[in-house]
Every structure is written in C-alpha cells, then in structure tokens.
Amino acid sequence: MERLRALRGLFACVGCVPRRTRRRERSRVSSPVPTCAATLLLQRLQDQEGDRAQAYCELESALCQDSSRPPCGVVNRLLAEVSRDLTAAQGVTSNVKTAASSVLVALARTHFTLVMAELQSHLKAAGDMSKEFVLNTLSKLFSTYAPQCIPFVWLMLAGLRSVVGQVKSGQILRIACAVLKQWLDGVKTYLSSGMQCPWPAMEKEQICENLHELLFSVVWNWQDCQEEQDKQAVLGAVAAMLEVLLQEERHQEQVWEQLLWLVHPCQEIQDICRVAKSLTIFLEALGGIESVIPGDKFLDVTSAVFYQLYDDSKQHSEAGRAQLTHCIMLQARICPEETILFLQSQLGDDWEPGCVAALGLLGALARSDEPVMTEMLPQVVEAVQRLCSDPSIRVRTAILYFIKDLLSSNTRSCSAWDVVGHIFREFSRATGRRAAGDLSAREAQKEGALQELCMDILGSLDVSVRGMSKLLWPRLLLFVVPAQYTGMLIPVSRCVCALAEREELTGRPIEHLDPHFVSSMFQGPLLTPQTLLARLLVVAGSPVAGSKLQAAALLLMKNLHSRFHRAVGAMWATEIPLLLQCLEGKDESFPDTAEFERRLLKFLKASLDTIEEKAWIEALSCELSQRLSSSASSSAEKSFLYKALGTVLGSCQGVLHVQEKLLQHLEEANAEEPREAQGIISLLSHAAENNFHTVLATLTMFASRLCKGRNARISRRKKMELDSTRAHATRSALMLAHGSVALRASKEQLLAHLEGDIVGNVLMLYSCSCRDLQNNLALVQSITDCSSAYQAVGDSASFNPSLKSKLLEILMDLMKKYYSGMPVSPVPLKVVLALEQLSKLKPSSESKDLREMLVLCCKNIVTHPSAEMMLKIRKSQQAAQYLQLQQTSLRALGRLMVVLLETEPSGGFFQNIVHKSMVSSNVWERKRALQTCSQLLAVCEELQRRDACEHFGSLVGLLAPLTCDPMPASRQLAVTCLSSLLRIQAKATNTDIETGDIRSLCEGLHACSIASQLQTTSKMAMIVCRNFPLERTVDFMTAIKETIRKANGVRVRAAGKWMTTFLQMHGKDISWNVPPILYILRSITSFAQHSTFLPFLCQAVVILTRCHTEAVMSNFSRPLGPTDSETWRRIREFCLQRWSQ
C-alpha cells in the first residue's frame, strides 16, 4: 500500500498515465525477455537459494543486456525482495546490498517511476531502517538518469528533510549531503543550459519552498557536527542550496530573510550558542559562492551579532562568545570593508562594552592578514590611538590586547603610533595607581592583571617579524633607567637577548630616534653608560626585586656590554653566568642573599679594576651618589646603593673627589633611621678597602666637627645642633663605622692607626655622646670590632696595656650599670662579646681582675633576667632577637672562659660561676647555668685541667637533681655535664669509666612519666657512683643539702635517689666521713622541704647505722642541741632503741 501511495504521488508529479489506463493497454505490451528467466532469478532470491549477491549480479546483467521489459507483477515482487535487503538494519552484508542497489539502477531503465517511488518511500520511512544504501542508490540513479531525475527534485527534497531530522552525524550524513549536492548541481546545470523547464510555475515555487525548508532544517539540525568531514559535507550541501536559490532575484530576498531569521533569536534567548552555530554554517557557505549581500541586511546581521558580544546582561558562555566572534570574522571575509567600518564606528561611542568588543574584533582581524584589513590598518590604528586616555580599565586592557595582535602580524602600521611606549606607559600608570593606595582590592587586582598583560605582550614579541628590531632597538634602552618601569626589565631583557642573538644591537644610536619621542619618554639627563650601569646594578643587588628581575638586569648587562665599556666584554661574559647560577640556586656555596650581594660587589670591583679609567669611574660614582641622594630612606635599594657607592669610591684615585662624596653623604644621612646609619657604615667600610687613609682622614675630620663644642666656645644654635638626637645618633654610627673600617684594614694600616686614630676617635665620640643605650651599644660593638681586627692581623701581643685596661674598665662599668638597673638590656650581652675579644689581646690582665670580670659576666648572663622578666620577653615582639643574642652571649662567655682558664693559675673561681645558679628557683637561670657549666667543663677537658676534679663531688651533687628538671633542655645539659665530668676524672686518674657512657640513657629522661625519669636517673647514679672519688663525699652531700634547701618536687626526689644510691654503694668505705654526713642530714630536717626528702633521709640514716653502728650510736648518744628538729629527735630515738640492744 505504501508503494501504491508513492506511485500516485509520482503520477501526479510527472503526469504519468493512470493505473487503469495502463491496465487497458497492458495486453498490447509484449516482453521480449523470457518470463522464465526473471521468474527463476526471483524465485532463487525468495527461496534463499545460493549466493544472493551472485543472483543479484546475474539479474542486473540480464536487465542491462536485454531490451526486455519485465512484467509489473515480477517487478513488484522484485522491488519488495530488493527493498528488504537494501534497507535491512542487520543480517545482510554490504556486498549483497551493493548488488541489490545495482539491480534497482538497472531496473530503472524500464521502470524508472516505480524504482523512484520505492526509493522515496524508503527515505520518508521512520524507524531503524538503514538509509545508507538507499541514498547511494539515489546517487547512482542521478548519475545514470539525470534528465529523468529532474522532475522528481521537489519530492527528493521532501524525502531528504526526513533524513535530516533522523540523522545527526556519521557516514549517512555525509552521503545525504553528497546526494543533495549532486542533485542540486544537476538542477543548476539543467537550468543554466537553457533547456525547457519541466515544472509548471506552481511546482517550481514548491521546489523553492521545499529547498528553503530543507536549508533551514540542515542548518538547524546539523550545526553540532564535531567531525571535520561532517562539517565540510554540511557546508557543501548548504552552499549548493544557496547557489540554486540565489540564481534568481525573487529567491534572493527569501535567503536574506532566512539569514535575518537566524539572527533574531539571538536577541531573545540567553544561550545563543546553537543559533550562532547555525549562522556560522550559513555564512561559511555563503562565503564560498559569488553573491552580494544587500547593505541594509548586512548591517542588520552585523549589528545583531555585535550587540550580543558586548551586552553584559546576556552572560553568554565562552563557547557562545567564541561562536559570535567567528560569525563577525566570517562577515568580514564576505564584506571586509563594511565590517571594518562598522567596528571602527563603535570605537567612537561612549558605551564601554561596545568599544571593548570592537577592539577585540579589530585585533582579531589584524591578526588574520586580510588584504582589506592591511590597507585600512593605519586608519584603524589612528582610531584606536584616540582611546589611549580612556580611564576605563576594560578599555585600557582591550587596547593592550589590540596592540598584541597588531605586533604579532603587522609592525609597519606602528610607525605613526609608539605602541611600545604605550605598553610601558600603561605599566607605569598601573604601578602608580596601585602605589597610591586608594583602590579597592578588586581594582588593585585588575591593575595588577594589566601590569602582567604589559609584561606578557613585550615578553612574547617575535623579534624575527619584519621591522620588529627597528621598532624595538634602541628604543628599549630608554625604558631601562626610569624606576617606574622596573617590573618590565624581565621582558625587556628577553627582547634584548633575542636581538643580541640576531646581532641587531649595533649601529643604531639613540640619537637617531625621533627627538620629540625621546624628550617625551625620557625626562632628565642623557642616557650615559654610567646611568645605565647604575640602574642595572641597583636592580641586580636588590633582593626585594626577586631573583627573576635580578637575573634580567644581569642579562641586560651581559648583552649590552659594548654600551658600557669596551674593556668589560670578556670579563662579563665569564662572570655574569656565574652570578646567574647563584640566583638560580645551582651554586650551593651561595645559600643566601647576603652572600650573593657580596659576590655582586666583588664583581663590580673587578669590573672597575678592568676599566682603569679615572674619569669613567668618577662619573659612575657621581651617578650612584645622585641616586643615593634621591632615594627615600625606606627604599629597599638604598642599602645596596651605599655599598655599591663605597665600592666605587674605593676604586677612585682622586682623594678630593672621594672626600667630597663621603662628606656629602655623612651630612645628608639621618642616622636616627637604622637603615641610614647602617648605610653610612657600609659606605665607609667598603670605601676603606682601597682608600683606607682617605676614609680615616674623612672620619677624623667629621668626628672632630661633631665634638667641636666640647671645649670650644660656639653659638647657642650650634650647640643645640650638636646636642640634638640626630647628632648623637650620628656619633653612634661613626663609632660603629670606625670598628667596621678597622676590620677591613691591612696589617700595616691597623698597627699604625688603631690605637691612636681609630680607638682614639671612638673614645672621643663616646665622651661627647649622651651615653644612652644606642651610644653604649655602639661603643661596645666598636671595641669588639677593633679587638677582632687586631687579632686578625696576628700581632695581638703588641697591644697597648694601658689602652686595654681603659677599655676593660669602660666595659666593666657598663656591665655594673646595667646589672644594677636594667637586666633585660642587650648591653651586658654585647659586653660579654667584647670582653671575649679584648681578653685575647696580650698582655693578660691580673688574676683578680679576671676573676671579678668572670663573676660579673656570669651574674649578668646567667642570673638575669628573672623568670618573670623572661615571660615578658617571650611575649614581646623582640623576643626572638633578644633570645638569640642571649644564646650568642652564653657561647661567648664559654669562649671567654677559655681565655681566662689559659691565664688563671688556680681554679678558685670555679664555684663562683655555676654553683649558686644551679639551685636557683628560676628554671631559665638553671638552664643558663647548665649551658655555662657545660662549656666550662668542655674547656677543662680540652685543656686537660683538673679544676673540675677538685669540685667533682659538689658538681655531681648539683647536677644530679637537674637530671629531673622540668625543662627538657636542662635535663639534657645536666647529662652532658656529668658525662664531661666523668671523662675529666678518668683522664686525671688515668682510669677507664666503668659501665659505659651515661649519655646512652638520655632517652629515658625525655619521657613524660616522672617514674620513668626517676628510674633513669637512678641508673645514671649507679654509673657515676662507681667512678666517684670518695674524698669528695662531703662535697657531694653538701651540694645535695643545698638542693634540698632550695628545690622542690621531682628534683628533691632525684637528689634523694642519688644520695641513697651513693651510700648503698660506698657506705662501708666512708667511715671517716660519718660525723659530717650525719651533721648534714640533721641540718636537712630543719628545711621546709624535708617532708618530701624524709623517706630518703631515714633510708640514709639506716644505711649508715648498719655500716658504721658504733660511730652512729656514738654520735646519737650526745645530747640534742636547741636547734635540732623534732624529726631528727625521733630518728635519733628510733636508732638508739633499735641498735643499742
């Protein structure tokens, strides 16, 4: 029935004879083909006999070779059989389907209408039917019978619409597109050949209508094709439809209306991605044919698409924006001049989003190398240049992106507009806005992103592009020196490196640039080699800039070496890569920024030694001096500027020039600022390396000015200046500078000038100062530096004894002053460091003075600050700095002990150092005492002195309870001291330590459990007691008594453990010490803490009584004294009752 309905449609289409007419005439039609041949072949197919493909091939051969016309009954049965194989979704091989398709083509020679009707019915059929071979058959049919196919075009279009709705991608889509293109190409050829049109006017309009509908259906349904083959097939089909429709003017209007219809939904829906894809297909196909879009229609389409791009309220996806942008680019390909003029007109509008969108599209067009765009680019660049003053961050960013696109494709259009200068100006503009501090967090972030964009544009330039080197060089040099362009040095360095590789850095001086441009971009003096070098040195030496910026500055120096001096090329080619390795972390010998700075200054000095031109070096010092004077005190680069200027002045040969610059900066510097004070010290010390006498003479001259009012009559105003806070701060800085200069002096210079000039100037400045904390610290540090310098030259034995005594007296007075009033001041700690260095100078001081010095140092370092003050210090902001200084001072105290022990003949001072502090209630004081004790014992062990052996018993008695100190560090130190003490004792007695080293038991002391700590300390007690000299028994018991008197808690129990362990091991061997031990035990019962110690005390009395019953009973038989406690009375009575029997 379906085949019959299709036939009726075909008859109506082509005017065939109705079926009833054909039936009347059938008797007159004869078939020359024997009926048995067709019937037999058909029977074989229906009975599934043999190879179906072979049967189809035989049938095709019969139909092609003979001029027979098979009967309609046979044809209908054959069509049914062939259709089953042709449209089968599975179970039939492609060979069979191909053979069946060929049979239909052969059958069409005599029954074309029936075959066409059969194929059309399959096209329109729904379901899972395979349409691949149906479409292939239609393609073969058109190739063979094109004239007969023409009348069926409108029906073919209707059938293909159903295919478009069912197929989305793949091979069937490509075949359908190919068939459509094939048929439409045939129609176009047929119409253009002048042949008589087979369609009535109404049917022709129907064909056009079907073609319009098919065009819309293809564009809308096949816009999401992903495979490139699918996309090309769809574009070919759409182009073929457009070519047919646009052949006649009356159809063109419908095409343009269809184009506008595709655009209109853009204004009504949010996600316009699908609409944009459809429009893209339409425009791509339209670009492949020769047709002119009407101006008004083109403007409507362009306006609608452009509106979508800059309308922020739409909130399109990135994919949608990309599709819309692609549409504009396609329009520019079709009508380039109109598109460019339209976009250019949008730049003049006040609507920011439209301007931004137009800039982006113009940049994309500039990048596309369209011929029309190349011609109109100067006009576009001029229009964009008018927007440079726009304050909007979005417009500024869009202009930069336009410049990026412009530089990547066409540098010739940049001649009228300094685009490179605009990039730098925008970077500086963003830097200034961020530095002003009046931006919100979001605005500051946007300005930062704009800076990154500027750096990216310059850093991504391809110097191989024609005209790029001329555009960049030597223009880039003008942007190296100004500080506002510092962040751009990284991309500038990259460009210069690329130009250097192409050998395009020579033969083009700055003077050849446009003078108006130079004056507008570079305000100030001419760009001299010294100006350029000073700038790059400052950046390279500033750790705040970051390693990448420092490396960029060094690379610029390396590549521009010929711009500085002809002598440095070879030396810089070797040394700069080494500096770059330091920045990259490849050289492990330079772990920090201070070491890199030292290496950079050494590189600078070596460069100056290579240049050897007095005028050139002095010009560099003037440039650095000018930069130093203009830098703010808070500037991060000022510290390096002081050092760099000092290094350059050290290489200057002109004495007057060096003095002039030094005096200039001594007068300008505000020493109240710590950075300024340190800068002056750095300046003078670096200059003194090669100009010692000039620097010392300048220092002496300036110091005399500051102390002028001490004895002379001066004006009141001058006296106020000399007594000002700034003047006192300057004196402190000068004192420190003298010490720093001394450290850099040679042996001959130091021996000739230290005592008279350097130390003399320091004492003169100190005498004129207000002697506040800053002055005192400066004095102590300068004495330390001078002493260290004198030791370093290896002639410390010749130091003036009277001067040494005077300095010692000053230091001791400072120690006493701060000990009595300000225990948390850093002065005593610094004094210890100074005393350590000064005490190494010969001749040595008297023993009495040394002992007094050591006791005073220990009081300041060990006993202070108190526990309460330590808690306050630890909560302060300077806690880390003070605690670090304290640890340094403790180590210095240990080194001071080395010096004093080398000169001290007896060990009488030993007990004054640590005994009292070890039993202190202040945990911090006990820790400091243990640190001092450990250092002292280490010194004694190293020098093989027996001072510690004389105090073995008392030290063990003091150290033993500290093995259970609340502070873990103190427990560790106590074990270290005991271990050192045992080794000293073993060396003194020439014996071995029994049962090993007690340090192996330290792990048990780290446990949080008190029981575990007590168990571990008992094991340690057994080891120590096995090596205990019995003549030190009373000292040991006395120290235990001191611990019981002042300690509490676990320390008391630890003391008891050690005492009972000792008595258990050596009780029988200490008969002569029984009376004093009993006296010590009796005195302990009067202490408030005796209750904790009572079990150990009772155990000790029992041990002694068992070992020495007669001696103990004799002692208990004496009458009690008035000071004996009730506890002791009970112990006495118990023992008398028990052992008297």
Side-chain angles (χ1 to χ4, degrees), residues 314-332:
K314 298 293 184 180
Q315 298 180 351
H316 299 310
S317 64
E318 289 297 324
R321 289 186 177 277
Q323 286 292 337
L324 289 171
T325 302
H326 187 50
C327 289
I328 296 287
M329 300 300 291
L330 291 173
Q331 290 174 259

Side-chain angles (χ1 to χ4, degrees), residues 21 44 92 211 286 642 704 720 762 851 1020 1022 1090 1115:
T21 307
R44 281 176 57 188
V92 180
L211 191 57
L286 199 60
Y642 273 116
S704 300
M720 290 178 64
V762 170
R851 192 172 302 157
M1020 291 180 177
M1022 295 178 67
H1090 81 277
N1115 187 282

Side-chain angles (χ1 to χ4, degrees), residues 969-1082:
S970 296
R971 297 198 292 268
Q972 181 67 39
L973 287 168
V975 175
T976 302
C977 292
L978 286 170
S979 181
S980 297
L981 195 59
L982 286 175
R983 288 194 298 272
I984 294 171
Q985 177 68 19
K987 290 180 181 178
T989 58
N990 197 22
T991 58
D992 294 330
I993 302 174
E994 295 184 23
T995 67
D997 193 349
I998 62 172
R999 287 181 296 183
S1000 60
L1001 302 174
C1002 284
E1003 186 175 349
L1005 295 179
H1006 296 324
C1008 298
S1009 170
I1010 294 176
S1012 177
Q1013 293 179 17
L1014 289 172
Q1015 184 179 3
T1016 303
T1017 196
S1018 297
K1019 294 178 181 179
M1020 291 180 177
M1022 295 178 67
I1023 296 175
V1024 174
C1025 290
R1026 285 193 180 95
N1027 300 275
F1028 199 96
L1030 297 182
E1031 63 272 16
R1032 306 299 176 189
T1033 301
V1034 175
D1035 295 340
F1036 170 70
M1037 294 299 296
T1038 303
I1040 291 290
K1041 183 187 74 171
E1042 285 299 310
T1043 298
I1044 304 302
R1045 184 170 66 89
K1046 295 184 178 180
N1048 52 37
V1050 184
R1051 284 192 294 145
V1052 174
R1053 295 169 64 184
K1057 287 275 187 182
W1058 278 72
M1059 182 187 69
T1060 54
T1061 301
F1062 172 79
L1063 292 176
Q1064 286 172 351
M1065 295 179 67
H1066 299 291
K1068 295 180 180 180
D1069 304 324
I1070 55 172
S1071 57
W1072 67 90
N1073 286 326
V1074 171
I1077 292 175
L1078 289 175
Y1079 177 79
I1080 292 171
L1081 294 175
R1082 183 174 63 180

Side-chain angles (χ1 to χ4, degrees), residues 530-541:
Q530 291 83 3
T531 304
L532 191 59
L533 179 59
R535 174 64 180 148
L536 294 177
L537 277 174
V538 168
V539 176

